[in-house]
Amino acid sequence: MRRESSTVVVLVGEVGDGLLAGLAQSPGVSVARAPAAGSGDPAAGQDATARPSWETGALALRAATRHRSMYVIVPDDPLADVAAGWRAMWEVPGPGAVSSGAAGFERHAAEALAAWRDKRFELPDYYLVIAPAQGTEAGPDLYLGPLRAVRPRRVVLGATADAAAQVSAVLDALRSLGHGPWWPPLDELLDAARHFYAGGLAETQQILR
């Protein structure tokens, strides 16, 4: 369990620079990013596309520990590659194509789990999901699916991507965060994702307690 005084919230979904800038200007809120690849500046906010997501997320979460605001927003998730691999498992390949979703998920899961066991990162206090724009079909989602089934109070739906008052909606979500059990070990979370049926309701899935 993390022991910093700030509440660290990882934003996932349709997260734009405008939203991050607006949140950074809000009282009691700061934004932490991973430094750019090859940069010695811990405050750099560029995407480190050469890194695996667990490493980018780990660096961003490490940067979050240097902030003293009430909420620290982190747009770099250490499980982003795992989430992309999990979603790919449920995508129907085109004619003649072979899906590699399961293999990709397992590869990313193994990399993230090894880093977690090596204490390179811990999960944030909360995940706050920015939903797709209205009218956009939302596919299987690791956060709103298995992670929310395992820990309902640790995953919050914040705002839609096309909301006019998106910053206000996210701030309202931050103020309404509830208390609940901490995350189970990452290997248990990943196993829950393997056994979660993306076509079913979260309440019908096996929930770790």
Side-chain angles (χ1 to χ4, degrees):
M1 180 182 295
R2 294 180 50 263
R3 303 194 184 282
E4 286 80 26
S5 58
S6 302
T7 298
V8 176
V9 181
V10 166
L11 282 191
V12 295
E14 301 292 334
V15 181
D17 291 338
L19 172 59
L20 295 176
L23 291 172
Q25 296 173 5
S26 304
V29 180
S30 58
V31 176
R33 300 297 307 264
S39 169
D41 181 8
Q46 301 176 22
D47 291 333
T49 55
R51 302 186 184 115
S53 72
W54 73 258
E55 185 176 357
T56 302
L59 291 169
L61 290 170
R62 189 181 307 165
T65 65
R66 295 189 283 268
H67 292 259
R68 294 294 179 264
S69 54
M70 182 177 297
Y71 300 100
V72 183
I73 300 299
V74 178
D76 303 303
D77 177 30
L79 299 184
D81 289 343
V82 176
W86 189 82
R87 179 166 183 162
M89 288 198 302
W90 299 98
E91 294 178 350
V92 179
V98 178
S99 174
S100 59
F105 168 78
E106 293 298 341
R107 176 168 56 85
H108 294 310
E111 292 172 351
L113 184 59
W116 177 83
R117 284 175 170 165
D118 198 34
K119 302 187 183 304
R120 302 288 296 275
F121 72 90
E122 293 187 42
L123 294 181
D125 294 300
Y126 297 91
Y127 279 102
L128 201 158
V129 181
I130 305 300
Q134 293 182 359
T136 302
E137 182 178 354
D141 188 282
L142 179 79
Y143 310 98
L144 297 178
L147 266 61
R148 198 178 196 185
V150 170
R151 289 292 185 265
R153 293 181 179 269
R154 296 281 168 188
V155 181
V156 180
L157 187 63
T160 57
D162 59 348
Q166 193 178 50
V167 172
S168 296
V170 171
L171 293 176
D172 288 343
L174 293 178
R175 287 189 285 264
S176 65
L177 293 174
H179 297 287
W182 187 249
W183 300 104
L186 184 58
D187 53 348
E188 294 183 23
L189 272 180
L190 295 172
D191 194 54
R194 291 184 182 97
H195 295 91
F196 188 94
Y197 173 50
L201 296 174
E203 289 78 5
T204 67
Q205 309 304 319
Q206 180 180 2
I207 300 178
L208 296 174
R209 297 187 185 278

